[in-house]
Amino acid sequence: MILHLTERALWDEARGVGSYEMSTRGRTLGDVGFIHCSLRHQLPGVAALLYGAEPDRTDLVVLVIEVARLDVPVRYEPPVPGGEEFPHVYGPLRVDAVVGVEPWPVA
């Protein structure tokens, strides 16, 4: 499983059209070329980087993605040479590949 942190409204919109195409906060798959994801242990750092200045947000959710359900490539790549590798989804995320939606921060 890989994870993606997003806003609930964006996920709700994706469910209506059948696919999710946001890469990261404020940037789309078309802008970046892939959807940023993380492993469970990487998620707190990602959340701090993207939303650290807004710790009281209650509209964030974590999409739990089953890689085997994807029909697009997943590559593990570092954000900088020699850095920790993060999973990147190279194409639209079909909503049926999301097997769980968790609140963030976890209560």
Side-chain angles (χ1 to χ4, degrees), residues 23-80:
S23 176
T24 189
R25 185 176 187 186
R27 306 211 44 212
T28 67
L29 171 64
D31 295 333
V32 177
F34 56 84
I35 297 172
H36 287 272
C37 293
S38 63
L39 302 175
R40 180 82 51 195
H41 75 277
Q42 296 168 325
L43 194 57
V46 170
L49 177 67
L50 296 175
Y51 298 99
E54 305 170 56
D56 297 329
R57 288 189 72 153
T58 59
D59 65 326
L60 301 177
V61 294
V62 177
L63 306 182
V64 180
I65 303 161
E66 187 174 321
V67 175
R69 292 185 178 205
L70 293 173
D71 59 359
V72 296
V74 174
R75 296 185 189 119
Y76 288 76
E77 304 165 312
V80 296

Side-chain angles (χ1 to χ4, degrees), residues 4-20:
H4 177 79
L5 182 65
T6 190
E7 298 166 26
R8 181 175 298 281
L10 294 172
W11 173 239
D12 289 344
E13 182 181 319
R15 288 177 37 223
V17 298
S19 68
Y20 177 85

